[in-house]
CSV table of all heavy atoms in Angstrom, one decimal:
chain,number,residue,atom,x,y,z
L,73,VAL,N,107.7,-126.1,0.3
L,73,VAL,CA,107.0,-127.3,0.3
L,73,VAL,C,105.9,-127.3,1.4
L,73,VAL,O,104.8,-127.8,1.3
L,73,VAL,CB,107.9,-128.5,0.4
L,73,VAL,CG1,108.5,-128.7,1.8
L,73,VAL,CG2,107.2,-129.8,-0.1
L,74,ARG,N,106.2,-126.6,2.5
L,74,ARG,CA,105.2,-126.4,3.6
L,74,ARG,C,105.2,-124.9,4.0
L,74,ARG,O,106.2,-124.3,3.8
L,74,ARG,CB,105.5,-127.2,4.8
L,74,ARG,CG,105.2,-128.7,4.6
L,74,ARG,CD,105.8,-129.5,5.8
L,74,ARG,NE,107.2,-129.6,5.7
L,74,ARG,CZ,107.9,-130.4,4.9
L,74,ARG,NH1,107.3,-131.3,4.2
L,74,ARG,NH2,109.2,-130.4,4.9
L,187,TYR,N,98.7,-132.9,-2.8
L,187,TYR,CA,99.1,-132.0,-1.7
L,187,TYR,C,100.3,-131.2,-2.1
L,187,TYR,O,100.7,-130.2,-1.4
L,187,TYR,CB,99.4,-132.7,-0.4
L,187,TYR,CG,100.4,-133.9,-0.6
L,187,TYR,CD1,101.7,-133.6,-0.7
L,187,TYR,CD2,99.9,-135.2,-0.8
L,187,TYR,CE1,102.6,-134.6,-0.9
L,187,TYR,CE2,100.8,-136.2,-1.1
L,187,TYR,CZ,102.2,-135.9,-1.1
L,187,TYR,OH,103.1,-136.9,-1.4
L,188,CYS,N,101.0,-131.6,-3.1
L,188,CYS,CA,102.4,-131.1,-3.3
L,188,CYS,C,102.6,-130.0,-4.3
L,188,CYS,O,102.1,-130.0,-5.4
L,188,CYS,CB,103.3,-132.3,-3.7
L,188,CYS,SG,105.0,-131.9,-3.7
L,189,ILE,N,103.4,-129.0,-3.9
L,189,ILE,CA,103.6,-127.8,-4.8
L,189,ILE,C,104.8,-128.0,-5.7
L,189,ILE,O,104.9,-127.2,-6.7
L,189,ILE,CB,103.7,-126.6,-3.9
L,189,ILE,CG1,103.4,-125.3,-4.7
L,189,ILE,CG2,105.0,-126.5,-3.2
L,189,ILE,CD1,103.0,-124.1,-3.8
L,287,PRO,N,109.1,-142.8,0.5
L,287,PRO,CA,108.0,-142.1,1.1
L,287,PRO,C,106.6,-142.8,1.0
L,287,PRO,O,106.2,-143.2,-0.1
L,287,PRO,CB,108.0,-140.8,0.3
L,287,PRO,CG,109.4,-140.6,-0.2
L,287,PRO,CD,109.8,-142.0,-0.5
L,289,GLN,N,103.8,-141.5,2.9
L,289,GLN,CA,102.8,-140.4,3.0
L,289,GLN,C,101.6,-140.7,3.9
L,289,GLN,O,101.3,-140.0,4.7
L,289,GLN,CB,102.3,-139.8,1.6
L,289,GLN,CG,103.5,-139.6,0.6
L,289,GLN,CD,104.5,-138.6,1.0
L,289,GLN,OE1,104.5,-138.1,2.1
L,289,GLN,NE2,105.5,-138.3,0.2
L,327,ASP,N,108.7,-140.8,4.5
L,327,ASP,CA,108.0,-139.5,4.8
L,327,ASP,C,106.5,-139.8,5.1
L,327,ASP,O,105.9,-140.6,4.3
L,327,ASP,CB,108.1,-138.5,3.6
L,327,ASP,CG,109.5,-138.0,3.3
L,327,ASP,OD1,110.3,-138.1,4.2
L,327,ASP,OD2,109.7,-137.6,2.2
L,328,ILE,N,106.0,-139.2,6.1
L,328,ILE,CA,104.6,-139.4,6.4
L,328,ILE,C,103.9,-138.0,6.6
L,328,ILE,O,104.5,-137.1,7.2
L,328,ILE,CB,104.4,-140.2,7.7
L,328,ILE,CG1,105.0,-141.6,7.5
L,328,ILE,CG2,103.0,-140.2,8.2
L,328,ILE,CD1,105.1,-142.4,8.7
L,329,ILE,N,102.7,-137.8,6.0
L,329,ILE,CA,102.0,-136.6,6.2
L,329,ILE,C,100.8,-136.9,7.1
L,329,ILE,O,100.1,-137.9,6.9
L,329,ILE,CB,101.5,-136.0,4.9
L,329,ILE,CG1,102.7,-135.7,4.0
L,329,ILE,CG2,100.6,-134.8,5.1
L,329,ILE,CD1,102.3,-135.2,2.6
L,358,PHE,N,105.4,-135.1,8.9
L,358,PHE,CA,105.0,-133.7,8.7
L,358,PHE,C,103.5,-133.5,8.9
L,358,PHE,O,102.7,-134.4,8.6
L,358,PHE,CB,105.3,-133.3,7.2
L,358,PHE,CG,106.7,-133.6,6.8
L,358,PHE,CD1,106.9,-134.6,5.9
L,358,PHE,CD2,107.7,-132.8,7.2
L,358,PHE,CE1,108.2,-134.9,5.5
L,358,PHE,CE2,109.0,-133.1,6.8
L,358,PHE,CZ,109.3,-134.1,5.9
L,359,ILE,N,103.1,-132.3,9.4
L,359,ILE,CA,101.7,-132.0,9.5
L,359,ILE,C,101.4,-131.4,8.1
L,359,ILE,O,102.1,-130.6,7.6
L,359,ILE,CB,101.4,-131.0,10.6
L,359,ILE,CG1,101.6,-131.8,11.9
L,359,ILE,CG2,100.1,-130.4,10.5
L,359,ILE,CD1,101.2,-131.0,13.2
L,360,TYR,N,100.3,-131.9,7.6
L,360,TYR,CA,99.8,-131.4,6.2
L,360,TYR,C,99.8,-129.9,6.2
L,360,TYR,O,99.3,-129.2,7.1
L,360,TYR,CB,98.4,-132.0,5.9
L,360,TYR,CG,97.8,-131.3,4.7
L,360,TYR,CD1,98.2,-131.6,3.4
L,360,TYR,CD2,96.7,-130.4,4.9
L,360,TYR,CE1,97.7,-130.9,2.4
L,360,TYR,CE2,96.1,-129.8,3.8
L,360,TYR,CZ,96.6,-130.0,2.5
L,360,TYR,OH,96.1,-129.4,1.5
L,361,SER,N,100.3,-129.3,5.1
L,361,SER,CA,100.3,-127.9,5.0
L,361,SER,C,99.5,-127.6,3.6
L,361,SER,O,99.9,-128.1,2.6
L,361,SER,CB,101.7,-127.4,4.9
L,361,SER,OG,101.8,-126.0,4.6
L,362,LYS,N,98.5,-126.7,3.7
L,362,LYS,CA,97.7,-126.4,2.6
L,362,LYS,C,98.5,-125.5,1.6
L,362,LYS,O,98.9,-124.4,2.0
L,362,LYS,CB,96.5,-125.7,3.1
L,362,LYS,CG,95.4,-125.4,2.1
L,362,LYS,CD,94.2,-124.9,2.9
L,362,LYS,CE,93.2,-124.2,2.0
L,362,LYS,NZ,92.1,-123.8,2.8
L,363,ARG,N,98.7,-126.0,0.4
L,363,ARG,CA,99.5,-125.2,-0.6
L,363,ARG,C,98.6,-124.7,-1.7
L,363,ARG,O,98.0,-125.5,-2.4
L,363,ARG,CB,100.7,-126.0,-1.2
L,363,ARG,CG,101.6,-126.7,-0.2
L,363,ARG,CD,102.1,-125.9,0.9
L,363,ARG,NE,103.1,-124.8,0.6
L,363,ARG,CZ,102.9,-123.6,1.0
L,363,ARG,NH1,101.9,-123.2,1.7
L,363,ARG,NH2,103.8,-122.7,0.7
R,501,LIG,N1,102.2,-130.7,3.5
R,501,LIG,C1,103.0,-131.5,4.3
R,501,LIG,N2,104.0,-132.2,3.9
R,501,LIG,C2,104.3,-132.2,2.5
R,501,LIG,N3,105.2,-132.8,1.8
R,501,LIG,C3,105.1,-132.4,0.5
R,501,LIG,N4,104.1,-131.5,0.4
R,501,LIG,C4,103.6,-131.4,1.7
R,501,LIG,C5,102.5,-130.6,2.2
R,501,LIG,N5,101.7,-129.9,1.4
R,501,LIG,C6,106.2,-133.7,2.4
R,501,LIG,C7,106.0,-135.1,1.7
R,501,LIG,C8,107.3,-135.2,0.9
R,501,LIG,C9,108.3,-134.4,1.7
R,501,LIG,C10,109.5,-133.9,0.9
R,501,LIG,O1,107.5,-133.3,2.1
R,501,LIG,O2,106.1,-136.1,2.8
R,501,LIG,O3,107.7,-136.6,0.7
Side-chain angles (χ1 to χ4, degrees):
V73 76
R74 286 170 289 277
Y187 50 82
C188 188
I189 201 161
Q289 313 301 2
D327 291 341
I328 294 169
I329 298 175
F358 307 107
I359 289 187
Y360 168 72
S361 172
K362 187 170 162 179
R363 309 312 291 127

